[in-house]
């Protein structure tokens, strides 16, 4: 019933969207197929080519990602396999199909949205502000131009448009939310016996034949990854030197333009009373306002508290309730008449009424803080050092530009650039795709060294900015192919792997055997007690059952006590875990054990469910699941659970939409162009 509702509700909406897209594609010729074979492409989707260069660039990034994930253990031969390359091409084809569908359906990316997406990339920001220069420079390092990057980003945004549209059609039914909540909050009670592979290591005998067989069957585990040795030139501002003659006049000019850094100007703490009157008010109003201000000044001079007078008389809403306090005031802050009067006063003085565009002010000067700071002589060394740093930065940028030019002009050598810039051509130690030490620990350096441009074409890399003060250009000096270590060199390693494998298998078999035996014996405890001699007594009484236990819990609980005497000398014990949540109980119940238990079928007919459950990589459990407690619904979790269900439904609908679009598209793959040059199979 629920699936029928799903089909008529979200499914109907989702597939209506896809149907409309397909109609548009047909009407616009989006599925038109060109029989002509593309001249420089690995595939064509509805006549749109996927160029070989684009495939190679994408595959290089994919390869670098996998190498990073697998620690460089995947060799060149792995990535040269047609199957691996074809799988990656399929991803590009699926992407192109969806982008075309979005574009042909009239979906667009506005220039503003594209701009916002670019400016949201932290790597393009300098000081939290988007930098066009940084943007262009980083793209250049990756062999991209703004135009090519923006075209790719536009496709990326279009690629996500259809999933966004379909996501809006997915919704969770109340019954689904209720069921999901109960399942998520479900608890299970079980007993288990743990078997660790360490217990069985002494039982394993590893022969030479075992070692040889494992070595022959698992060559990838003993293969040294492909490595390279690079040579490089490193331009660093720390190593630049220059003779500078700094004139006193230029330093003094810098001091004057940056004086605010070195000198804190005089400031005065003040309060005031404002008698407000319009600037163009009649003479009578002006005179009356001035008289009120004069009276306020006289009262203040006579000893009345100025702050209380301000609260009583001042028309300045912003300061009246603060006693007229204006805080510290520097020059060029207040209007001219107010400022002139303030800076002509002495501390503790009350001014006569001062007329401004706001009305008449009575000024109370509370405190004077004199100008202070460094003189030119005191700041001279600091200014000279900054001047030198600025000039060195300018020189670094000039040298950096020259390095860019020289490395491109002679792309087959670094010596020309080194000689021209006074740099040393340095050589690294061998390193794999996981990186090495020093500069070869930098991921940008690693990616450049293993890029097609450097590794296959033998060219200099593009200049790489390691930091704001360091730039490197590299080339591959030596390429060392992956190689299989001789057996004698890894014999101890192979033996340990065989030993661990066989010990794990013995632990697994022991757990499985105990679980199987428990089915016949009736409980884990009896099955465990039966392993050694003598056999445990089997007497048990239902009177031992605790009130509220289930039938299966009573059975196992009583027989476990009966078997305890026979197994008390054994290291193995039956551990009981009650009301365990789905993901375990940290410090008490292993998460993998709990998840394995939740995959077991419920107990039936008053009998526990027995099974072997794998815990961590070296631990296995014989398990008796004897009780399942349904979870309670939580009104506070409805939105969270609903969102989880909708994400799952949305994912399923997007997968279905992609399959339908793919089936309707015309796709031509040029298989022979997938094989890299020089690869043989």
């Amino acid at each position: 019933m629920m699936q029928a509702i799903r089909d008529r509700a979200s499914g109907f909406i989702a597939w209506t969207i896809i149907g409309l897209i397909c109609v548009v594609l047909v009407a616009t010729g989006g599925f038109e197929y060109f029989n002509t074979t593309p001249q420089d492409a690995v595939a064509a989707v509805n006549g749109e080519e996927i160029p070989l260069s684009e495939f190679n660039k994408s595959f290089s990034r994919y390869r670098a990602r996998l190498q990073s994930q697998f620690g460089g253990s995947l060799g060149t031969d792995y990535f040269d396999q047609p199957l691996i390359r074809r799988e990656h091409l399929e991803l590009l084809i699926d992407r192109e199909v969806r982008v075309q569908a979005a574009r042909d359906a009239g979906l667009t990316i506005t220039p503003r949205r594209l701009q916002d997406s670019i400016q949201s990339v932290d790597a393009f920001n300098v000081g939290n502000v988007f930098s066009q220069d940084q943007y262009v420079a980083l793209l250049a390092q990756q062999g991209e131009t703004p135009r090519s990057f923006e075209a790719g980003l536009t496709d990326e945004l279009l690629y996500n448009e259809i999933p966004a549209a379909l996501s809006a059609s997915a919704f969770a039914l109340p019954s689904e939310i209720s069921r999901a909540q109960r399942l998520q909050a479900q608890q299970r009670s079980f007993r288990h016996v743990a078997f660790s592979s360490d217990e069985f290591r002494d039982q394993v005998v590893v022969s030479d034949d075992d070692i040889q067989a494992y070595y022959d069957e698992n060559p990838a585990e003993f293969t040294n990854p492909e490595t390279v040795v690079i040579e490089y030139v490193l331009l660093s501002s720390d190593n630049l030197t220059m003779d500078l003659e700094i004139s006193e006049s230029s330093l003094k000019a810098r001091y004057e333009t940056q004086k605010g850094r070195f000198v804190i100007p005089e400031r005065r703490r003040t309060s005031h009373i404002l008698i407000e009157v319009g600037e163009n008010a009649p003479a009578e109003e002006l005179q009356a306002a001035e008289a009120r201000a004069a009276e306020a000044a006289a009262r203040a001079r006579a000893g009345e508290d100025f702050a209380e007078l301000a609260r009583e008389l001042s028309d300045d809403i912003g300061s009246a309730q603060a006693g007229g306090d204006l805080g510290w005031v520097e020059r060029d802050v207040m209007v001219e008449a107010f400022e002139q009067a303030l800076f002509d006063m002495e501390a503790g003085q009350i001014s006569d009424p001062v007329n401004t565009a706001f009305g008449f002010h009575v000024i109370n000067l509370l405190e004077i803080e004199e100008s202070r700071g460094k003189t030119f002589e005191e700041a001279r060394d600091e200014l000279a050092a900054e001047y030198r740093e600025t000039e060195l930065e300018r020189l670094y940028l000039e040298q950096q530009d020259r390095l860019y030019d020289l490395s491109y002009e002679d792309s087959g050598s670094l010596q020309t650039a080194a000689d021209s810039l006074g740099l040393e051509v340095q050589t690294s130690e061998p390193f794999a795709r996981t990186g090495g030490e020093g500069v070869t620990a930098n991921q940008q350096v690693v990616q450049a060294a293993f890029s097609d441009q450097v590794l296959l074409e033998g060219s200099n890399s593009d200049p790489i900015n390691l930091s704001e003060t360091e730039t490197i250009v590299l080339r591959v000096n030596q390429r060392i192919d992956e190689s299989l270590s001789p057996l004698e060199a890894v014999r101890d390693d192979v033996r340990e792997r065989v030993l661990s494998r066989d010990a794990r298998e013995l632990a697994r078999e022991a757990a499985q055997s105990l679980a199987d035996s428990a089915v016949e014996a009736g409980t884990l405890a009896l099955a465990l007690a039966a392993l050694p001699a003598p056999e445990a007594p089997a007497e048990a009484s239902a009177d031992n059952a605790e009130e509220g236990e289930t039938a299966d819990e009573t059975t196992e609980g009583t027989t476990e006590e009966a078997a305890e005497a026979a197994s008390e000398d054994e290291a193995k014990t039956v551990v009981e875990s009650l009301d365990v949540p789905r993901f375990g109980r940290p410090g008490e119940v292993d998460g993998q054990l709990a998840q394995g238990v939740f995959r077991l079928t419920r107990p039936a007919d008053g009998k526990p469910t027995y099974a072997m459950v794998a815990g961590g990589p070296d631990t296995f459990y014989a398990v008796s699941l004897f009780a399942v407690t349904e979870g309670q619904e939580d009104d506070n979790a409805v939105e969270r659970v609903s969102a989880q269900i909708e994400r799952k439904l949305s994912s399923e609908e997007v997968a279905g939409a992609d399959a339908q679009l793919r089936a309707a598209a015309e796709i031509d793959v040029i298989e022979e162009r997938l094989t890299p040059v020089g690869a043989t199979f």
Side-chain angles (χ1 to χ4, degrees):
M1 178 64 180
M2 193 173 300
Q3 185 58 46
I5 295 173
R6 169 81 47 221
D7 292 340
R8 290 194 295 271
S10 63
F12 174 78
I13 298 170
W15 293 112
T16 298
I17 293 172
I18 294 304
L20 290 173
I21 290 174
C22 291
V23 168
V24 172
L25 288 173
V26 172
T28 59
F31 289 154
E32 184 178 355
Y33 175 58
F34 294 87
N35 289 317
T36 56
T37 301
Q39 296 301 307
D40 183 28
V42 288
V45 179
N46 299 319
E48 292 289 333
E49 297 181 3
I50 298 178
L52 180 60
S53 58
E54 179 182 322
F55 170 80
N56 286 335
K57 185 184 296 184
S58 176
F59 190 75
S60 292
R61 289 193 292 264
Y62 166 73
R63 180 172 58 191
R65 233 176 11 255
L66 281 188
Q67 286 288 14
S68 177
Q69 291 175 9
F70 289 92
S73 61
L74 300 176
T76 303
D77 289 347
Y78 174 83
F79 292 104
D80 284 345
Q81 296 179 75
L83 177 61
I84 301 302
R85 296 173 70 85
R86 178 59 187 263
E87 286 178 350
H88 186 69
L89 177 60
E90 290 298 319
L91 296 177
L92 296 185
I93 290 172
D94 288 341
R95 177 187 182 82
E96 180 65 22
V97 167
R98 193 196 289 178
V99 169
Q100 287 184 24
R103 188 180 293 117
D104 291 339
L107 301 177
T108 60
I109 304 300
T110 64
R112 179 55 185 267
R113 183 178 172 194
L114 181 63
Q115 180 183 21
D116 289 345
S117 297
I118 293 171
Q119 294 183 354
S120 68
V121 179
D122 290 340
F124 298 151
N125 292 346
V126 175
N128 294 323
V129 178
F130 176 75
S131 168
Q132 182 70 20
D133 292 340
Q134 176 83 345
Y135 172 55
V136 174
L138 285 180
L139 292 182
Q141 288 180 21
Q142 302 299 321
E144 294 271 11
T145 65
R147 176 176 294 182
S148 64
F149 175 77
E150 288 163 18
L153 181 56
T154 298
D155 283 352
E156 178 71 21
L157 295 173
L158 279 172
Y159 179 77
N160 292 317
E161 286 296 286
I162 290 178
L166 293 177
S167 295
S169 73
F171 63 90
L173 297 172
S175 58
E176 291 177 301
I177 297 172
S178 173
R179 181 172 182 271
Q181 281 192 293
R182 293 197 305 273
L183 285 174
Q184 289 182 6
Q186 186 185 97
Q187 296 178 333
R188 295 193 167 198
S189 298
F190 56 93
R191 297 184 177 91
H192 63 274
V193 178
F195 293 85
S196 169
S197 64
D198 289 342
E199 304 168 29
F200 297 89
R201 288 175 65 88
D202 292 342
Q203 301 179 28
V204 177
V205 177
V206 181
S207 68
D208 288 344
D209 289 343
D210 294 332
I211 293 174
Q212 184 69 54
Y214 189 93
Y215 176 80
D216 292 341
E217 293 167 5
N218 302 278
E221 296 181 24
F222 311 104
T223 297
N224 301 308
E226 176 188 29
T227 58
V228 295
V229 175
I230 62 168
E231 56 184 25
Y232 61 93
V233 290
L234 178 65
L235 176 66
S236 171
S237 63
D238 294 339
N239 298 328
L240 295 178
T241 58
M242 62 189 307
D243 296 325
L244 291 176
E245 293 184 5
I246 309 175
S247 67
E248 290 296 300
S249 60
S250 63
L251 289 180
K252 286 181 178 179
R254 291 173 70 88
Y255 178 80
E256 290 300 325
T257 58
Q258 302 178 31
K259 202 170 186 177
R261 293 175 48 210
F262 303 105
V263 177
I264 298 176
E266 176 189 350
R267 60 180 188 164
R268 299 187 167 208
R269 191 163 69 87
T270 186
S271 59
H272 81 138
I273 297 170
L274 172 65
I275 306 301
E276 196 172 40
V277 64
E279 188 174 11
N280 299 318
E284 296 82 5
E285 291 184 19
L286 289 171
Q287 290 171 2
E290 185 175 12
R292 289 176 58 202
E295 181 185 357
R299 289 172 64 182
R301 291 184 184 128
E304 290 192 49
D305 184 72
F306 192 90
E308 290 301 323
L309 287 172
R311 293 186 183 95
E312 176 189 345
L313 303 173
S314 182
D315 294 323
D316 183 2
I317 299 175
S319 67
Q321 294 307 309
D325 186 22
L326 296 176
W328 289 98
V329 178
E330 297 178 0
R331 290 186 182 274
D332 301 324
V333 174
M334 296 297 188
V335 293
E336 184 177 355
F338 187 104
E339 181 178 291
Q340 183 174 344
L342 175 63
F343 280 87
D344 285 343
M345 294 168 64
E346 299 294 333
Q349 187 177 355
I350 306 293
S351 75
D352 292 330
V354 177
N355 187 18
T356 72
F358 301 100
F360 288 93
H361 306 260
V362 178
I363 302 172
N364 178 23
L365 178 55
L366 300 169
E367 186 179 352
I368 298 175
E369 189 176 88
E370 299 292 344
S371 172
R372 66 189 189 278
K374 294 181 180 179
T375 64
F376 167 73
E377 288 71 22
E378 293 171 330
R380 186 188 183 285
D381 290 345
E382 184 178 347
L383 287 166
E386 290 175 354
Y387 179 77
R388 181 177 182 80
E389 184 178 345
T390 301
E391 289 301 299
L392 282 174
E393 182 179 345
R394 180 185 58 78
L395 176 61
Y396 172 75
L397 293 175
E398 289 178 356
Q399 296 283 69
Q400 187 184 55
D401 287 341
R402 290 188 63 200
L403 178 60
Y404 275 58
D405 294 338
L406 291 167
S407 62
Y408 285 128
E409 290 171 3
D410 186 1
S411 62
S413 171
L414 295 174
Q415 200 60 52
T416 301
D419 293 343
S420 299
L421 299 175
L423 302 175
E424 176 188 357
V425 178
Q426 303 179 62
T427 304
S428 76
E429 294 296 321
F431 63 94
R433 295 176 188 269
T434 51
E437 298 179 353
V439 295
T440 61
N442 184 286
Q443 195 57 37
Q444 292 184 83
V445 171
V446 175
Q447 290 178 1
F450 285 93
S451 67
D452 290 349
Q453 173 184 336
V454 176
L455 185 63
L456 302 182
E457 299 172 13
S459 299
N460 294 340
S461 72
D462 296 331
I464 301 167
N465 294 326
L466 301 180
S467 68
E468 293 183 356
T469 59
E470 288 185 321
T471 302
I472 190 174
V473 177
L474 60 91
R475 61 180 296 100
V476 169
N477 175 275
Q478 183 182 3
R479 178 179 181 180
I480 305 169
D481 291 334
E482 64 181 23
S483 60
L484 182 65
S485 297
L487 176 57
E488 290 310 310
V490 293
R491 177 175 289 275
D492 290 345
D493 184 18
V494 178
R495 183 183 185 282
E496 176 58 32
R497 291 173 189 245
V498 173
L499 180 63
S500 297
R501 179 199 64 188
D502 292 353
R504 282 195 299 272
E505 180 59 20
L506 288 175
R508 188 196 68 78
E509 290 175 354
Q512 184 66 63
S513 176
L514 182 61
D516 293 342
S517 298
V519 176
E520 298 296 327
T523 72
L524 278 179
L526 286 175
L528 182 62
L531 293 180
E535 186 175 345
E539 292 85 359
S541 171
D543 294 334
N544 293 327
E546 294 183 11
E547 184 178 354
E549 288 182 327
T550 61
D552 51 318
E553 184 179 8
T554 301
T555 302
E556 179 145 339
T558 55
T559 52
E560 183 175 335
E561 291 175 6
E564 196 172 278
S567 59
E568 60 184 359
D569 295 331
E570 298 298 317
K572 291 285 175 213
T573 58
V574 178
V575 177
E576 184 175 73
S577 299
L578 300 177
D579 300 325
V580 176
R582 184 172 295 272
F583 298 104
R585 192 177 288 138
E588 182 181 340
V589 179
D590 175 64
Q592 292 188 56
L593 167 60
Q595 291 179 51
V597 169
F598 271 83
R599 285 193 289 268
L600 301 181
T601 57
R602 293 167 176 263
D605 300 327
K607 296 181 180 179
T609 297
Y610 296 101
M612 185 280 295
V613 172
D618 299 307
T619 305
F620 300 86
Y621 298 91
V623 172
S624 165
L625 169 63
F626 61 82
V628 175
T629 304
E630 291 297 341
Q632 300 299 312
E633 296 179 39
D634 181 1
D635 291 341
N636 295 323
V638 169
E639 289 188 10
R640 175 180 59 80
V641 175
S642 177
Q644 291 174 348
I645 296 172
E646 287 168 4
R647 281 195 297 271
K648 181 176 181 295
L649 294 174
S650 175
S651 176
E652 292 172 353
E653 288 171 353
V654 169
D658 283 339
Q660 182 172 341
L661 290 170
R662 174 76 183 243
E666 295 286 357
I667 298 168
D668 182 26
V669 175
I670 300 89
E671 298 282 357
E672 60 270 17
R673 292 180 186 164
L674 280 174
T675 305
V677 177
T680 57
F681 302 98

